[in-house]
Amino acid sequence: MRAIIKNLGPIKNNRQAIDLTKNFYIFVGENSSGKTYVSQLLWTIFNQNTIRKFASKAIFAIDFEHITNFEITKTLIDSILEQYAVFLKSELAITYNIESIPAHKTILDKFSIAFEYDFDKICPVEIIGIDFDEIRFTKPSLSLQVTIEKEKQPSKQLTDDKLSLRSLSGLRIRSRRTIKEVFLITILELLLDYKHHTFFLPASRTFYATFYQYIYEFERARQEKELEEMRLLIENMRKNKNEK
């Protein structure tokens, strides 16, 4: 997926798209040319808390909680990205620490962002979305049809040989989230080619000596979360005697 930004600080009427599938970005330019604005924008786009917050607040015509299947269409994806673009503007105010200032007096007054994506890349991907409490949705490879199942335990198909699926684009384990939230998080992470949490390193030379603990805490929190997800997965599998 790609993003085109306009009117962000000193960046005016930009037509160059930013490829959002990259794992690493470095910005080089003169002082006050907009490097920090763009880098913090990218951090906000990829930030997992931003994505989760959006998933809980987004509104769609599909009643995800009372259907058993639906189709992923370009219209649906366009709607998701259009709402995400609007949502990002309010989140950027928090990132830039200007949420208490009237919007028309900030750098976000005339800011706009648009996303471009390749819809054909969604079809080949297998998606398995799970909420341990009660829901599961699947989209087979080479299909755009999504099936929703409500169950009290993880599917019997999630045996030991399926644990490696978490490394594939698509398997997302969520606890106590609605099917809408699980679906939106999964789709956004798929479009963003999401592989890991975002990590922002400012250009300041004093950052590394002053905030090394930030880097340490970031990695420690990530490892603890993965261990907890694995514990929940194993615990729920053991509750079903038919599982290994």
Side-chain angles (χ1 to χ4, degrees):
M1 189 163 70
R2 299 164 296 279
I4 298 179
I5 60 173
K6 293 184 179 181
N7 302 320
L8 180 62
I11 302 172
K12 309 294 183 183
N13 300 317
N14 171 55
R15 295 184 179 180
Q16 183 177 356
I18 301 175
D19 187 348
L20 299 177
T21 64
K22 303 301 181 182
N23 291 330
F24 195 78
Y25 297 87
I26 297 178
F27 296 93
V28 180
E30 298 179 355
N31 290 342
S32 302
S33 60
K35 301 186 300 297
T36 299
Y37 286 139
V38 175
S39 59
Q40 290 181 329
L41 166 63
L42 290 180
W43 181 88
T44 305
I45 290 174
F46 284 98
N47 185 265
Q48 196 170 52
N49 288 334
T50 302
I51 295 174
R52 289 178 176 179
K53 194 186 300 184
F54 165 74
S56 68
K57 294 183 177 181
I59 299 174
F60 295 93
I62 298 177
D63 185 359
F64 290 95
E65 310 307 317
H66 298 94
I67 58 175
T68 57
N69 60 77
F70 65 93
E71 182 179 4
I72 298 177
T73 64
K74 189 174 186 304
T75 299
L76 176 60
I77 300 299
D78 288 345
S79 178
I80 293 173
L81 294 179
E82 286 170 6
Q83 288 196 51
Y84 194 50
V86 173
F87 180 78
L88 281 172
K89 190 168 183 176
S90 61
E91 286 300 297
L92 279 174
I94 298 174
T95 299
Y96 296 148
N97 196 27
I98 56 175
E99 65 268 31
S100 61
I101 304 174
H104 67 278
K105 294 183 178 180
T106 71
I107 61 171
L108 299 175
D109 180 23
K110 297 181 179 180
F111 165 75
S112 68
I113 181 171
F115 294 104
E116 300 175 343
Y117 66 98
D118 298 318
F119 183 73
D120 292 341
K121 291 186 177 181
I122 298 176
C123 186
V125 179
E126 178 185 19
I127 296 177
I128 303 175
I130 303 168
D131 183 307
F132 278 132
D133 290 339
E134 61 175 348
I135 56 178
R136 164 191 174 92
F137 77 84
T138 57
K139 184 193 83 65
S141 176
L142 303 178
S143 172
L144 292 173
Q145 294 294 325
V146 175
T147 300
I148 299 174
E149 298 175 285
K150 304 220 172 167
E151 50 190 23
K152 295 300 181 182
Q153 298 291 337
S155 169
K156 295 179 181 180
Q157 295 179 12
L158 282 177
T159 50
D160 289 346
D161 63 332
K162 292 287 186 178
L163 292 178
S164 61
L165 277 175
R166 193 179 188 285
S167 63
L168 300 178
S169 177
L171 181 60
R172 294 291 179 263
I173 302 172
R174 299 289 181 254
S175 179
R176 293 180 295 278
R177 295 188 185 278
T178 65
I179 188 66
K180 181 201 74 171
E181 291 175 299
V182 177
F183 174 72
L184 291 179
I185 290 170
T186 301
I187 288 297
L188 277 176
E189 291 183 353
L190 173 62
L191 291 170
L192 291 169
D193 196 22
Y194 198 95
K195 297 184 179 69
H196 45 68
H197 294 285
T198 48
F199 204 80
F200 175 67
L201 296 178
S204 171
R205 294 174 182 173
T206 62
F207 173 84
Y208 305 100
T210 306
F211 296 104
Y212 73 93
Q213 288 185 332
Y214 158 72
I215 301 174
Y216 171 79
E217 289 297 327
F218 185 96
E219 181 64 16
R220 184 177 66 83
R222 181 190 65 80
Q223 292 183 4
E224 287 180 351
K225 180 182 177 184
E226 289 187 350
L227 286 172
E228 177 63 13
E229 287 186 344
M230 183 60 70
R231 184 190 68 78
L232 288 172
L233 179 60
I234 294 174
E235 180 181 302
N236 278 271
M237 290 173 63
R238 285 175 176 171
K239 288 180 181 179
N240 189 332
K241 295 180 180 180
N242 294 323
E243 296 290 352
K244 289 185 178 180

